[in-house]
Amino acid sequence: DAKTTQPPSMDCAEGRAANLPCNHSTISGNEYVYWYRQIHSQGPQYIIHGLKNNETNEMASLIITEDRKSSTLILPHATLRDTAVYYCIVRASDDYKLSFGAGTTVTVRA
Amino acid sequence: DSGVTQTPKHLITATGQRVTLRCSPRSGDLSVYWYQQSLDQGLQFLIQYYNGEERAKGNILERFSAQQFPDLHSELNLSSLELGDSALYFCASSVEGGGTSTDTQYFGPGTRLTVL
């Protein structure tokens, strides 16, 4: 049973910010939110993760709502190379595996 | 480049055969994970090894087995292959094996297996 809900697809314009939503209304206190992406059958690429605070790294920002029931991944300036399937994953701190859902297919258009 | 290497990149074989996929984790990582990605099942966790020992098992068939060697590389053995085993097989590695917020998994480029 899926722990996250993501829109199946979204488009964004090159150079604009891409905001990718994820719902995880049943998240528990010890569960982290992870984001990975997969570019055309390549290995999934780690983007960012967080527990309850907002996080930022060189790739993206992760905004988690105060009740932790949803989050948004922000790609600040999308490029064509950001076209990929983006996976939002909820993972407990004592869970060894990553459980991938269907993800969101993001298409960046020139 | 994640630092995880997998060989071979492509493998074509026939039903009933046996193949071995190889994975070398990032330097310093003790855990290796295997995932299968097929068109109808998506990315699914198969098995995890930590420092040579099996730690967790997912939806791995009995025809499949894995091991992690003293140098920490891992092999996934697939036997009595069926058409439905055609998929991408990914290996990932992490420093530890779960339990800490820093335990991020980094994926290799994958092996594409085609069973004819």
Side-chain angles (χ1 to χ4, degrees), chain B residues 69-82:
Chain B
F69 295 87
D71 67 353
L72 300 177
H73 90 271
S74 178
E75 292 180 357
L76 179 67
N77 301 296
L78 316 176
S79 62
S80 302
L81 285 167
E82 302 175 359

Side-chain angles (χ1 to χ4, degrees), chain A residues 6 10 13 15 19 24 27 34 40-41 43 46 57 59 61 66 68-69 75 78 90-91 93 95 101 109:
Chain A
Q6 298 179 254
M10 61 183 293
N19 297 294
H24 30 79
I27 194 168
Y34 281 78
H40 189 55
S41 298
Y46 166 77
N57 63 20
M59 286 184 69
S61 294
E66 196 168 338
R68 304 212 316 127
K69 292 185 177 181
L75 306 178
V90 165
R91 178 191 178 203
S93 59
D95 191 357
R109 303 195 185 277

Side-chain angles (χ1 to χ4, degrees), chain A residues 46-96:
Chain A
Y46 166 77
I47 301 173
I48 199 166
H49 75 280
L51 183 62
K52 52 185 177 181
N53 297 321
N54 298 337
E55 303 287 345
T56 294
N57 63 20
E58 65 279 2
M59 286 184 69
S61 294
L62 174 60
I63 309 298
I64 303 175
T65 57
E66 196 168 338
D67 63 7
R68 304 212 316 127
K69 292 185 177 181
S70 65
S71 60
T72 301
L73 178 75
I74 301 173
L75 306 178
H77 304 286
T79 71
L80 299 179
R81 287 175 295 182
D82 292 321
T83 292
V85 179
Y86 288 76
Y87 298 98
C88 171
I89 299 166
V90 165
R91 178 191 178 203
S93 59
D94 59 352
D95 191 357
Y96 302 118

